[in-house]
């Protein structure tokens, strides 16, 4: 009887975690809808670069998945009222652990890049820290009206 319950809990947890996929904020990653769309290009010079943390937020799936796994694991301990208590404790501990794991996975290293455009305007763009920028470098700002990327 416990094997089907564990299987269902694991499948539900994996499905939940699959929905947690983090969208990139990289200047080097385009999704399929962004391909072949025209972008405006502005040239400028990097004024400053500052490390920041990009917080993708918590969806709650870490808590749910952790609580489900903890509850299932706890129910396997003992029998009767002891199993119920272990299930509750396992669910609480699993929920706390799942929340912590999701919070750590949701935070990414980013850069705030301030660029002085050739027309004198200043722009600051935050994106993933997957490309190195230095003050004084010439860069391009690519904009599609919603997103702006800084590239070399």
């Amino acid at each position: 009887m416990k094997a089907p319950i564990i299987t269902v809990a694991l499948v539900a947890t994996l499905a939940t975690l699959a929905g947690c996929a983090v969208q990139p904020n990289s200047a080097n990653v385009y999704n399929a809808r962004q391909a072949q769309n025209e972008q405006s290009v502005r040239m400028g010079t990097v004024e400053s670069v500052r490390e920041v943390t990009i917080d993708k937020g918590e969806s709650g799936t870490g808590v749910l998945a952790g609580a489900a796994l903890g509850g299932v694991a706890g129910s396997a301990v003992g029998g009767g009222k002891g199993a119920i208590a272990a299930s509750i404790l396992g669910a609480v501990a699993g929920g706390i652990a799942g929340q912590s794991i999701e919070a750590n996975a949701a935070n990414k290293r980013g850069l705030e890049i301030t660029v002085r455009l050739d027309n004198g305007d200043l722009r600051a763009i935050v994106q993933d820290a997957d490309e190195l920028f230095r003050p004084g470098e010439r860069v391009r700002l690519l904009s599609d009206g919603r997103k702006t990327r800084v590239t070399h």
Side-chain angles (χ1 to χ4, degrees), residues 4-17 69:
I5 293 172
I6 292 172
T7 303
V8 169
L10 288 174
V11 169
T13 300
L14 291 174
T16 301
L17 292 174
L69 286 175

Side-chain angles (χ1 to χ4, degrees), residues 96-148:
I96 291 168
Q99 180 182 26
S100 176
I101 290 168
E102 182 182 7
N104 288 333
N107 290 338
K108 292 183 77 176
R109 204 174 124 248
L111 295 176
E112 178 189 81
I113 308 155
T114 303
V115 176
R116 182 167 304 279
L117 299 175
D118 288 348
N119 69 4
D121 289 350
L122 275 176
R123 296 289 185 261
I125 294 89
V126 174
Q127 63 189 40
D128 287 348
D130 60 349
E131 193 173 338
L132 184 62
F133 294 94
R134 292 188 180 105
E137 283 184 317
R138 292 286 291 165
V139 292
R140 299 178 304 152
L141 270 64
L142 305 174
S143 299
D144 67 1
R146 288 185 312 242
K147 288 188 175 193
T148 301

Side-chain angles (χ1 to χ4, degrees), residues 58-81:
E58 293 181 35
S59 65
T61 55
V63 172
L64 293 174
L69 286 175
V72 169
S75 70
V77 175
K81 291 182 181 178

